[in-house]
Amino acid sequence: MSDAVHEFTLDALEWHPYVQPVDLQKATPEQLDALKVTPSNTKVSAYVLVLAQETEMLAERSPLFNDIMYSDGGLSRGGRELGALAASFVNHCIYCAQVHANRFIQLEKRPEVVDEIYTNGLEANLGDYDQALFNFGVDLTAHPDNVGVYQFYHLRETGLSDLEILDLIHSVAIFGWANRLMHTLGEPHRKD
């Protein structure tokens, strides 16, 4: 078995659960419905298979996640990924950070943003727009009780609409939740 990864990386990682995931071949009809598995869908992550232990929760979580991260309009997909990366960075969720850093790079074609975050952490010095998104994600994750007028003013001054700000809040929040589950249910390992 490979060693757990404890440092941020862009390398492909696998998440290894501490608890037994649902066996897709033995899944109940309720679990399959929550997973939305079709005969052509063979790529279901270990994380989702662990969540399938609680079918009612998973049936609510997946559509919510898809709406937050993939809906049309509002904040760009790259902006949502940067919000998810900020939350994952604060929560030290190596697996989620790797996924969302790579998606940001894929979508935005700006690896230098992730390089700066991975090099300088919470002191990253980014362009105004990216800095506003990253700082908000950090603030909302680290100190949600201190987020208020100042942060919203700064986001609006950077050019974000209320809908874009709401999308950013949602992407940061769902990864605050997901990171905590990932930590308690398993750990990341390098792909063999």
Side-chain angles (χ1 to χ4, degrees), residues 68-181:
I68 289 171
M69 296 306 290
Y70 305 116
S71 65
D72 292 331
L75 188 62
S76 69
R77 283 279 319 282
R80 296 171 205 218
E81 297 296 344
L82 190 54
L85 175 57
S88 300
F89 199 86
V90 170
N91 290 326
H92 209 76
C93 187
I94 305 302
Y95 180 82
C96 289
Q98 176 267 326
V99 168
H100 297 288
N102 280 304
R103 284 192 186 147
F104 176 84
I105 292 168
Q106 177 188 27
L107 291 165
E108 298 292 325
K109 311 292 189 250
R110 293 185 291 126
E112 66 276 6
V113 172
V114 174
D115 289 342
E116 175 64 19
I117 293 168
Y118 275 24
T119 300
N120 294 308
L122 300 180
E123 303 302 317
N125 184 12
L126 307 170
D128 290 345
Y129 182 81
D130 294 328
Q131 191 74 58
L133 297 180
F134 184 71
N135 287 352
F136 183 82
V138 166
D139 289 347
L140 187 58
T141 305
H143 306 286
D145 53 330
N146 291 334
V147 172
V149 173
Y150 171 78
Q151 287 86 356
F152 293 116
Y153 174 81
H154 187 64
L155 289 172
R156 287 187 184 101
E157 286 296 303
T158 306
L160 271 73
S161 69
D162 287 349
L163 178 58
E164 290 169 317
I165 293 169
L166 184 60
D167 286 341
L168 180 59
I169 291 168
H170 287 153
S171 67
V172 172
I174 200 163
F175 278 92
W177 174 78
N179 298 158
R180 287 169 179 90
L181 277 176

